[in-house]
Amino acid sequence: MKSTSYFFRTFFALVIAIAAFFLFKEILPKKIFSQKKITKNVIIDSLLLEAVAEARDSVVVEKDVAKQEKVIFKPTDGVVYPVEKFVEYKGFQYLIPFYEKLFQLENEKKGNVRIAYFGDSMTDGDLIVKDFRTHFQEKFGGKGVGFVNITSESASSRSSLVHQFSNNWKMQSYLKVKKPVNPFGVNGHVFYANDTINNPWVSYKANNTKFATVLNRPTLFYGSSDNEDGEVYYIVNEDTIRKKLNPSNKLNTLRFTEASLPSLKLYFKKADSIPFYGFNFDDGQGVHVDNFSSRGNSGLPLSMFNRGMMTEFQKQLGYDLIVLHYGTNVLNYGSLNYSWYEKRMKIVTDHLKDCFPGVTILVVSTADKSTKYDLEMKTDSAVVPLSTAQKKYAIASEAGFVNLYTLMGGDGSMVKWVEELPAKANKDYTHFNFRGAKEVAKLLYTQLDEGYAKYKKMKAKKKPVLKKDSIHKHDVSIHAQ
């Protein structure tokens, strides 16, 4: 009898709960679950928090976007792409210097092209960038994973390299520190060896990643210091090989070998005040792509780059294209007006062009992201406004643009990527898994390659520029030789 009684009590309680839900449904919030909780993978950069606070305190009048507005280009070296509509904007015109470098590499088989890929948690663990890099190296050559930090919060999840380090490193990041002791590196970090007890160490080991099965020409990047006693050593068989550090310049490099190594473990001795930035692994030819991902990054911290230091990095690494892949951390701040973000990222791109003269920029929009509305997962209402703002600052910055949201399939695409079998995105309806990351890399590369194919055709049709010394005047006509 008692069990029957409990059953009916439970049943009636359930009926009352369901009835109460439908009774109060209209006054419940649209989003059942709060979006404000900061998870392990979402650390918000300080500049973003300041920008959001300022935007809330000010009245922002957003200019009406004429979506049928056309973007007209000026010729670059005699090449001009067709007029584009705002809604379909890709901005290949502004990537011409990058395409010309690819053209020279492809046809003359010499030199190299370098890409800096800045992103947030979407590219954590070399996701997306690993496959993006492979596509380029398959077509244009090049080996190596590029620039890698001294330490990394995502080292354990990196699939293109085995990266380990001791726990006695100190790190400053442009996400949290506005006035670093020494300028940040191109990766947005600076590292210090805390060797009071044990010598800090870092190790890298190549795996079976395509075009990265060895560590190509390992080179250490470090900054200026009065410390003249620092050294780095590593052990080969039973021999200890020591390298003296000479931190006399703003940016210094130390190449350990011109050959390739399967792995490398380095110890840092008496190097406590020397700023370290990371290691570069590349073979010096073809295309190389550096992954500069930082969880929680909105893109705004790039405005903190020290121009002098970036100039030194540009001399050493020579970037031809900068990719800005942000947005995940900019969604969900209570407003669909992203004019503040558009304005601030325009300042960022101006600063990057100042830091890296001659570089071209590609903006990748936010991916689709789903949020629960009325118990159903749908595209977050902020995705389209944010991607539109990103396109607007790309145009204003004369940068290329990839609308990742559209390429994924547009409205509701993240739900499909999560729920289809096999799944291509995680259950947070925000991040891709390795399968989705591979597909995203393919989408990005395909659009860039589309622009490159068009560039080659237009370049072939371009009328030759006549040189003065090749023109001979005759009585009735002009002939070019």
Side-chain angles (χ1 to χ4, degrees):
M1 290 295 289
K2 284 186 177 180
S3 61
T4 303
S5 175
Y6 287 140
F7 171 78
F8 281 110
R9 287 181 186 177
T10 305
F11 177 75
F12 283 124
L14 183 62
V15 170
I16 291 172
I18 295 174
F21 170 75
F22 283 103
L23 180 63
F24 296 108
K25 180 181 178 183
E26 295 303 318
I27 61 175
L28 289 173
K30 288 288 184 182
K31 294 184 180 181
I32 302 298
F33 303 106
S34 171
Q35 300 293 312
K36 295 180 179 180
K37 184 179 179 181
I38 298 175
T39 68
K40 181 181 179 182
N41 292 329
V42 183
I43 306 166
I44 307 302
D45 69 65
S46 59
L47 287 183
L48 175 61
L49 295 176
E50 289 180 5
V52 171
E54 289 181 13
R56 284 174 177 165
D57 294 340
S58 61
V59 178
V60 180
V61 180
E62 186 178 16
K63 294 180 180 178
D64 182 39
V65 178
K67 293 190 176 180
Q68 296 305 317
E69 185 176 316
K70 295 181 179 179
V71 182
I72 302 172
F73 304 107
K74 295 179 180 178
T76 302
D77 296 331
V79 175
V80 59
Y81 284 81
V83 173
E84 292 188 82
K85 293 180 181 177
F86 176 85
V87 294
E88 299 169 348
Y89 176 76
K90 296 179 180 176
F92 292 142
Q93 182 72 34
Y94 300 127
L95 302 179
I96 284 180
F98 170 65
Y99 287 149
E100 176 60 24
K101 287 292 296 288
L102 289 178
F103 184 83
Q104 292 175 13
L105 179 62
E106 184 179 31
N107 290 277
E108 299 180 14
K109 307 298 181 185
K110 63 181 182 181
N112 61 78
V113 172
R114 198 168 195 102
I115 301 171
Y117 198 117
F118 292 94
D120 50 29
S121 57
M122 301 296 278
T123 54
D124 219 24
D126 217 17
L127 281 175
I128 299 176
V129 181
K130 171 187 172 183
D131 297 295
F132 183 74
R133 180 187 303 117
T134 299
H135 286 306
F136 274 102
Q137 293 182 336
E138 282 178 337
K139 182 168 183 175
F140 299 97
K143 295 179 180 177
V145 297
F147 199 96
V148 184
N149 285 359
I150 295 290
T151 73
S152 170
E153 59 195 351
S154 61
S156 61
S157 62
R158 180 157 186 152
S159 61
S160 56
L161 184 81
V162 179
H163 180 196
Q164 297 177 315
F165 45 84
S166 60
N167 59 8
N168 50 346
W169 285 96
K170 294 180 180 178
M171 183 270 287
Q172 288 189 321
S173 165
Y174 63 174
L175 269 66
K176 299 179 180 178
V177 178
K178 288 186 177 180
K179 296 180 179 179
V181 177
N182 291 282
F184 295 119
V186 67
N187 51 356
H189 297 78
V190 56
F191 304 89
Y192 297 95
N194 182 11
D195 57 2
T196 53
I197 300 177
N198 297 313
N199 292 330
W201 57 268
V202 59
S203 75
Y204 305 93
K205 183 179 181 181
N207 55 23
N208 60 355
T209 298
K210 195 172 184 180
F211 306 119
T213 55
V214 291
L215 303 176
N216 304 91
R217 305 190 309 164
T219 305
L220 172 66
F221 283 67
Y222 61 104
S224 174
S225 172
D226 294 330
N227 182 354
E228 299 179 349
D229 299 325
E231 66 177 36
V232 180
Y233 65 91
Y234 57 104
I235 301 172
V236 178
N237 297 323
E238 296 182 353
D239 298 327
T240 299
I241 301 174
R242 299 182 183 276
K243 298 279 187 179
K244 187 76 174 176
L245 293 171
N246 181 22
S248 57
N249 299 317
K250 183 183 288 289
L251 181 65
N252 308 278
T253 61
L254 175 59
R255 180 162 294 165
F256 291 88
T257 174
E258 289 292 333
S260 300
L261 302 173
S263 62
L264 181 65
K265 184 173 184 178
L266 296 142
Y267 296 85
F268 294 73
K269 185 177 180 182
K270 296 181 179 179
D272 58 340
S273 64
I274 300 175
F276 294 98
Y277 298 114
F279 281 81
N280 178 50
F281 305 103
D282 73 53
D283 66 345
Q285 52 189 338
V287 177
H288 303 104
V289 185
D290 299 333
N291 182 0
F292 299 130
S293 65
S294 297
R295 294 176 186 173
N297 197 344
S298 65
L300 300 181
L302 273 68
S303 64
M304 296 169 61
F305 273 155
N306 178 286
R307 183 179 180 278
M309 179 56 83
M310 291 307 106
T311 299
E312 296 302 314
F313 269 101
Q314 182 68 346
K315 289 177 182 175
Q316 294 289 337
L317 298 172
Y319 292 106
D320 301 292
L321 175 69
I322 288 177
V323 180
L324 302 177
H325 187 163
Y326 295 107
T328 304
N329 303 290
V330 190
L331 296 164
N332 305 121
Y333 280 91
S335 170
L336 301 183
N337 186 337
Y338 284 100
S339 58
W340 60 271
Y341 186 67
E342 173 192 338
K343 179 181 177 182
R344 288 177 179 252
M345 284 305 291
K346 172 64 169 59
I347 295 173
V348 168
T349 55
D350 288 345
H351 185 58
L352 290 175
K353 289 182 177 181
D354 195 33
C355 290
F356 304 93
V359 76
T360 55
I361 294 177
L362 176 72
V363 177
V364 178
S365 82
T366 180
D368 189 30
K369 175 186 182 300
S370 297
T371 298
K372 187 168 286 186
Y373 296 97
D374 296 331
L375 301 182
E376 184 180 357
M377 297 302 294
K378 299 178 180 178
T379 288
D380 193 289
S381 58
V383 168
V384 172
L386 175 58
S387 63
T388 300
Q390 291 173 311
K391 184 187 296 185
K392 289 168 69 176
Y393 93 70
I395 295 173
S397 305
E398 298 188 344
F401 180 72
V402 175
N403 193 329
L404 181 54
Y405 163 72
T406 301
L407 290 181
M408 286 178 63
D411 186 57
S413 54
M414 179 55 80
V415 174
K416 294 178 182 176
W417 283 47
V418 171
E419 296 181 352
E420 69 184 8
L421 296 175
K424 294 186 289 190
N426 298 327
K427 289 291 186 180
D428 64 358
Y429 290 83
T430 300
H431 295 88
F432 303 108
N433 59 23
F434 75 93
R435 195 176 295 108
K438 183 181 287 291
E439 183 162 329
V440 169
K442 180 67 174 176
L443 291 171
L444 300 182
Y445 176 78
T446 299
Q447 180 167 317
L448 278 175
D449 195 50
E450 173 196 345
Y452 178 57
K454 290 180 179 178
Y455 173 72
K456 289 195 292 185
K457 288 183 179 179
M458 289 190 289
K459 182 180 175 71
K461 294 179 181 178
K462 187 178 67 171
K463 294 180 180 179
V465 178
L466 304 182
K467 297 181 180 179
K468 289 183 179 180
D469 57 0
S470 67
I471 301 176
H472 301 274
K473 291 185 178 181
H474 296 263
D475 291 340
V476 293
S477 62
I478 298 176
H479 302 276
Q481 294 181 342

